[in-house]
Amino acid sequence: MKRILINELVENEESKISGFASKIRDTKYMIFVILKDRTGSIQVSLDKGTQEELCKELDGVIAGSVIEFEGKMVLSEYVKQGGKEFIPSKVNVLSKAEASPLEENANIDTRMDYRWIDLRSEKNQLMLNVQSTFVEGMREHCYKEGFTEIHTPKLIGAASESGSDVFEVKYFDRKAYLAQSPQFYKQMALASGLERVFEVAPCFRAENSNTNRHATEFTSFDIEFAYIDSFEDVMDFEEDLIIAGLSKVKERYGDKIKELFDKEVIVPTKPFPRIKLEDLYKELEKRYNYQIPEFDVGDMNAEAEGLAYKYAMEEFGHEFIFITDFKKTKRAFYHMRKNDIPQGFDLIWRGAEITSGAQREHRYEELKKQCDEKGLTKDVEFYLQFFKYGCPPHGGFAIGVDRFNMLLLGLSIKEEMFIFRGPNRLEP
Ligand code: AMO
């Protein structure tokens, strides 16, 4: 008999189901197993009087075990689990579990030690499925818009993202680095004649920071496309991309997210508000008496991001806000500049930066000048070559997938990631 899923069970039809036993209750006359698969759960009821042999199969079997049952689903007004129960005629214990070392209210670090058990909860299953659905919605949008998915190397010969620290690895008799971003290679794809590319892949950052939004390895949804007129085109595309991702999440899981996380999935309207950094500073000062510290002038910091969100909500009733016109000393060398202003942006959502993006400098001479200015030319010699033999004007951005989902569900990044990597965390 072929396994069927719990939500496919038909009353009184002989069927086979299997899954984790999330609860086993052994009473005087009955044994009740709550069996869970990816579609839901059902109570399996065994009568000690009439099903003695079957009950014996469950001797010493505790919650966490994986069990297969053959039998029939019947309707019962006494059962809480959706008024349905499963009456087995056969029991097959596929994997016998030991007692879970994870107590119900364990702290996040203990939960991470036993992450695979922790992830079995309904909330965590939803969290992972929401992330998958968000990416699915964005991928679909990219395919629809003529994008090609690429896979760039993560082992590279030079640091790929100035401004963030890089992990060094021993590479035979020389040094290699873990890619901080696919930045150089997604641009190379455009110099290769692909006009629109995306990649969903890990980025590695050797940032020794323990915040609720930084990981040393995270997943980035990277976009790069050619023949743009300005970075406005890049922001326009990001609006559509996020709307596609969030629409899919809302449609599939909006109610469940409200129920389990008490968070509303709001599909944003277009256009998202856009503001120049200088104007934002003025608003933050006027409204919240906030002044950016000297060190961060020309850039944002965590506090300013929180307030920018507050401002966007108050002024525009919008959860998203694009910030533009950063200072050139604070932005990557590859941003195109106009009147000395980097043609880039950050996107803030629910109090944190979820994206950086820009129109790129595609003119070899200009780019080389900007590299020289930052003292990088030697390190990025290979990258400069991409622009020597013809390259269309282009731009792009990256969305931190983990950070996005964390904000969507109101979690910390440790709680949100499938497996978190931080300065003190390399296991499991
Ligand atoms: P940036 O460095 O701003 O831009 O990264 C893009 C987005 O990635 C996420 N992010 C992180 N998420 C978790 N942990 C971290 N340590 C971390 N660092 C960044 C954030 C951030 O907005 N090459 C450019 C993008 C581009 O211009 O296309 C870049 O990497 O959500």
Side-chain angles (χ1 to χ4, degrees):
M1 200 187 300
K2 247 182 93 179
R3 173 189 189 227
I4 71 162
L5 295 167
I6 287 170
N7 75 348
E8 295 169 344
L9 283 168
V10 177
E11 192 188 357
N12 274 326
E13 225 167 67
E14 198 59 43
S15 14
K16 180 159 94 183
I17 56 175
S18 43
F20 280 95
S22 61
K23 242 187 218 152
I24 298 184
R25 205 153 53 89
D26 193 347
T27 69
K28 198 162 172 205
Y29 303 110
M30 301 286 292
I31 296 178
F32 300 106
V33 177
I34 304 297
L35 194 81
K36 212 168 150 185
D37 71 12
R38 67 177 193 271
T39 65
S41 52
I42 191 162
Q43 173 176 299
V44 180
S45 311
L46 297 97
D47 188 321
K48 285 185 172 172
T50 59
Q51 296 176 297
E52 208 184 330
E53 282 306 306
L54 293 190
C55 289
K56 256 198 213 140
E57 301 276 340
L58 294 178
D59 267 358
V61 176
I62 60 169
S65 300
V66 180
I67 313 176
E68 181 180 86
F69 292 103
E70 282 179 36
K72 285 179 183 166
M73 183 270 279
V74 295
L75 301 180
S76 162
E77 55 183 300
Y78 303 109
V79 181
K80 275 200 221 130
Q81 301 278 125
K84 295 172 184 174
E85 67 180 330
F86 195 84
I87 310 297
S89 52
K90 230 177 174 180
V91 175
N92 182 11
V93 178
L94 300 175
S95 164
K96 211 168 152 180
E98 285 186 25
S100 169
L102 204 55
E103 286 174 5
E104 213 158 282
N105 290 320
N107 67 32
I108 182 66
D109 286 301
T110 311
R111 282 172 49 195
M112 284 197 301
D113 290 340
Y114 297 100
R115 188 56 167 165
W116 66 98
I117 303 174
D118 181 46
L119 287 175
R120 290 179 192 168
S121 73
E122 191 183 4
K123 260 181 113 163
N124 281 340
Q125 295 280 305
L126 177 63
M127 172 186 84
L128 295 176
N129 279 306
V130 167
Q131 188 190 100
S132 163
T133 302
F134 177 61
V135 171
E136 179 188 336
M138 294 201 295
R139 263 180 204 278
E140 278 176 0
H141 184 73
C142 288
Y143 291 132
K144 192 170 87 197
E145 293 296 321
F147 279 71
T148 303
E149 181 168 8
I150 56 169
H151 305 281
T152 65
K154 303 305 155 204
L155 273 173
I156 57 179
S160 52
E161 195 63 51
S162 51
S164 48
D165 293 322
V166 63
F167 286 112
E168 231 176 71
V169 288
K170 192 173 168 314
Y171 194 74
F172 305 109
D173 57 354
R174 56 181 282 205
K175 265 187 219 159
Y177 305 94
L178 294 180
Q180 297 146 303
S181 143
Q183 185 64 40
F184 294 168
Y185 297 103
K186 62 178 182 167
Q187 288 188 257
M188 193 195 93
L190 304 193
S192 311
L194 290 171
E195 289 182 10
R196 319 189 118 198
V197 297
F198 77 98
E199 178 171 23
V200 191
C203 293
F204 303 90
R205 308 264 169 116
E207 288 160 357
N208 198 354
S209 56
N210 290 293
T211 73
N212 62 3
R213 58 173 81 166
H214 287 92
T216 47
E217 177 178 353
F218 63 92
T219 302
S220 173
F221 198 111
D222 263 87
I223 290 281
E224 203 71 25
F225 60 108
Y227 303 108
I228 60 170
D229 294 323
S230 87
F231 70 126
E232 298 280 340
D233 296 340
V234 183
M235 290 189 279
D236 292 347
F237 182 82
E238 179 162 21
E239 290 175 351
D240 289 330
L241 186 70
I242 286 175
I243 288 171
L246 280 179
S247 299
K248 188 128 223 154
V249 168
K250 190 177 176 73
E251 180 194 314
R252 200 175 282 167
Y253 294 118
D255 294 341
K256 208 73 197 158
I257 291 172
K258 179 82 198 142
E259 182 194 327
L260 296 186
F261 289 94
D262 198 23
K263 288 278 168 198
E264 203 72 52
V265 180
I266 300 168
V267 178
T269 51
K270 281 202 307 182
F272 298 3
R274 298 171 186 193
I275 189 167
K276 291 182 178 157
L277 189 64
E278 279 298 325
D279 296 335
L280 179 72
Y281 285 170
K282 281 182 202 147
E283 290 293 343
L284 299 192
E285 183 156 13
K286 192 170 82 194
R287 289 171 188 246
Y288 317 117
N289 202 18
Y290 178 76
Q291 221 173 355
I292 194 91
E294 196 56 41
F295 175 77
D296 291 321
V297 169
D299 201 358
M300 293 288 282
N301 61 25
E303 201 176 353
E305 285 169 12
L307 292 173
Y309 169 61
K310 195 167 171 206
Y311 163 69
M313 288 298 285
E314 281 175 12
E315 181 66 19
F316 308 103
H318 208 287
E319 289 192 309
F320 290 84
I321 186 164
F322 282 115
I323 300 168
T324 66
D325 293 56
F326 288 80
K327 207 161 125 186
K328 68 177 180 186
T329 51
K330 303 284 189 181
R331 297 306 268 192
F333 70 94
Y334 51 78
H335 288 202
M336 180 179 273
R337 295 177 192 165
K338 253 185 207 150
N339 303 322
D340 234 19
I341 297 166
Q343 300 298 290
F345 61 88
D346 275 1
L347 179 59
I348 308 292
W349 183 50
R350 296 189 175 176
E353 177 212 304
I354 50 156
T355 285
S356 293
Q359 173 162 15
R360 322 299 186 185
E361 183 50 78
H362 66 282
R363 297 161 298 181
Y364 177 80
E365 290 303 334
E366 295 297 321
L367 187 59
K368 188 162 177 315
K369 239 188 271 166
Q370 292 181 190
C371 284
D372 287 343
E373 180 193 288
K374 299 225 179 203
L376 289 167
T377 308
K378 219 172 140 9
D379 295 338
V380 296
E381 191 58 52
F382 78 103
Y383 164 76
L384 278 172
Q385 300 287 316
F386 303 160
F387 305 93
K388 228 174 173 174
Y389 307 98
C391 181
H394 63 277
F397 58 88
I399 299 178
V401 168
D402 309 290
R403 196 176 285 178
F404 198 99
N405 200 39
M406 151 199 137
L407 295 166
L408 181 60
L409 302 178
L411 301 169
S412 72
I413 200 151
K414 276 187 184 176
E415 293 170 301
E416 190 279 337
M417 289 185 79
F418 173 59
I419 298 172
F420 172 76
R421 286 286 177 261
N424 303 313
R425 183 53 77 169
L426 267 178
E427 284 88 20

